Amino acid sequence: MAKHISRRSAAIVACVVILFLAAAAVPMTMAHLTVWPLSQLSGARDSSRPAAQRGVPAPPSATSESLQGTSPASAQLVTRDLTPATQLRLTASGFLPKEHLVVSVEDPQGHTYEQVTLTAGNDGRLRETSVSAPPQLASGSYEVLVVGSTSHRAASVTFQMHVIPPTVVFDAYTGTPGQTVGFSGSGFIPGEEVVIYLGKATTPLADARATDTGAIGGRLTVPALVAATYTLTVVGTLSQTPISVGFSIQGFAPWVVLDRYALTSGQGLGFIGQGFASNEPVLVYLNATTGNPALHMTADSSGRIVEQDTWMPSVASGQNVLTFVGQWSKASTVAEFTVLPSAQPSPTVTAP
């Protein structure tokens, strides 16, 4: 029993010695102990610190959530060729819902012109909107910039400004109804349709398509209108820069010459006339302007009529009148001729 106690005592003494030696090597007092917050034990998060400082990804903000899955911002123009008379017809997409969009124009030297603020729709798109181009722009290439005021997304599109007005010339600046007149021009927007109006008409008199170099060419037909001076207006549907010139429509003043003005009964008659409308029907009346005409004729493309001297007017001797009436132009002219009386046979004298 005494041995067992002494062994236990020896073990206790050994433990005390070991503890004493450890304490000597690393003194531990309450002053040197650090108590860690429970929230940091076992990997717990401190919600009071920013997520970036805690090494935890920050939750997405409202802006980043809105931009997720959104295609890059873009801008489009309905046409990239403009003149001072046209506007920038702009569309855009890829911005935030209801975001304010700042639209400006920039030249190749980086100079920014007037700005305007528009608003995107609920889907972040800008529906087609017309914006006036800065009036001081010269001919050349420019860029339209669209910047979102919240997302700072930016999109751009280039356009060409055409300041020099187009020119048009006509083969003639006067004509009669039915006559054709040629025209040519240059300086239009490539590929645009060019229409020509006469006076206050809303229906084009003629049209042409501009080539890749902006040139046009074609022909128009003078309409059947009252003789007067009218205005021909030429305008490109894209450039919207009108060109106006005066054009005189002449009245018809036909005339007719007979091949003979005195004929005997049974003798043929012929004539030649000019000044009727191109290809119009012409009625010829004899001694009256009502009833059935004596002749039906058609003028040629130059308004000319011709009748050989084989026509036999069935009239009595004396003065006669031919009246020529154009059915489209309503122009008329007259010509007179005389039918000589038939020669009376000499009486036969018999010898008594």
Side-chain angles (χ1 to χ4, degrees):
M1 186 68 177
K3 285 183 178 182
H4 182 68
I5 293 174
S6 60
R7 289 179 180 174
R8 292 181 59 187
S9 299
I12 291 172
V13 172
C15 291
V16 172
V17 172
I18 291 172
L19 290 173
F20 177 78
L21 294 175
V26 183
M28 296 182 65
T29 64
M30 292 299 294
H32 293 87
L33 292 177
T34 301
V35 180
W36 294 93
L38 182 62
S39 62
Q40 296 191 29
L41 299 178
S42 303
R45 296 176 179 174
D46 181 8
S47 60
S48 65
R49 300 169 61 200
Q53 296 180 12
R54 299 196 307 266
V56 179
S61 64
T63 299
S64 61
E65 283 180 346
S66 300
L67 289 176
Q68 286 180 353
T70 304
S71 59
S74 62
Q76 304 83 31
L77 289 173
V78 174
T79 175
R80 295 193 180 189
D81 290 282
L82 284 85
T83 67
T86 57
Q87 291 189 317
L88 295 161
R89 296 168 60 190
L90 177 70
T91 61
S93 60
F95 295 93
L96 296 181
K98 296 293 185 180
E99 181 177 19
H100 291 308
L101 307 177
V102 179
V103 181
S104 59
V105 174
E106 186 176 286
D107 62 20
Q109 290 72 39
H111 181 269
T112 301
Y113 294 85
E114 301 170 8
Q115 296 181 342
V116 62
T117 301
L118 306 175
T119 303
N122 292 327
D123 56 357
R125 297 175 61 88
L126 177 68
R127 298 294 185 260
E128 184 177 320
T129 305
S130 295
V131 179
S132 297
Q136 64 270 41
L137 297 185
S139 294
S141 180
Y142 296 87
E143 190 172 35
V144 178
L145 303 176
V146 183
V147 180
S149 59
T150 303
S151 65
H152 302 296
R153 284 196 163 198
S156 64
V157 59
T158 59
F159 69 91
Q160 192 76 21
M161 176 61 74
H162 302 267
V163 173
I164 301 175
T167 58
V168 176
V169 294
F170 292 86
D171 293 346
Y173 294 87
T174 183
T176 54
Q179 181 180 344
T180 58
V181 178
F183 61 88
S184 60
S186 61
F188 292 91
I189 292 177
E192 76 170 328
E193 183 183 11
V194 180
V195 293
I196 302 176
Y197 297 95
L198 179 66
K200 297 181 179 179
T202 57
T203 301
L205 183 62
D207 58 56
R209 179 73 61 178
T211 65
D212 293 341
T213 60
I216 62 166
R219 302 185 69 82
L220 60 82
T221 301
V222 180
L225 296 176
V226 177
T229 299
Y230 297 84
T231 299
L232 280 175
T233 302
V234 185
V235 60
T237 55
L238 296 179
S239 57
Q240 290 296 307
T241 303
I243 306 163
S244 298
V245 297
F247 189 88
S248 177
I249 295 182
Q250 297 177 335
F252 290 94
W255 49 264
V256 172
V257 176
L258 305 181
D259 63 350
R260 58 174 58 93
Y261 289 88
L263 62 154
T264 60
S265 178
Q267 192 174 16
L269 179 68
F271 53 81
I272 184 171
Q274 187 75 43
F276 294 95
S278 174
N279 301 313
E280 78 166 329
V282 178
L283 301 183
V284 183
Y285 294 92
L286 179 61
N287 294 327
T289 56
T290 59
N292 294 326
L295 287 175
H296 292 262
M297 309 188 70
T298 301
D300 61 16
S301 58
S302 64
R304 183 170 178 261
I305 58 172
V306 176
E307 177 66 30
Q308 300 296 329
D309 60 356
T310 56
W311 178 52
M312 306 287 293
S314 57
V315 290
S317 61
Q319 195 76 12
N320 295 276
V321 178
L322 290 176
T323 302
F324 302 80
V325 181
Q327 298 303 288
W328 296 344
S329 64
K330 302 304 180 183
S332 64
T333 187
V334 298
E336 297 182 358
F337 67 96
T338 302
V339 176
L340 301 175
S342 299
Q344 297 295 327
S346 298
T348 302
V349 178
T350 58

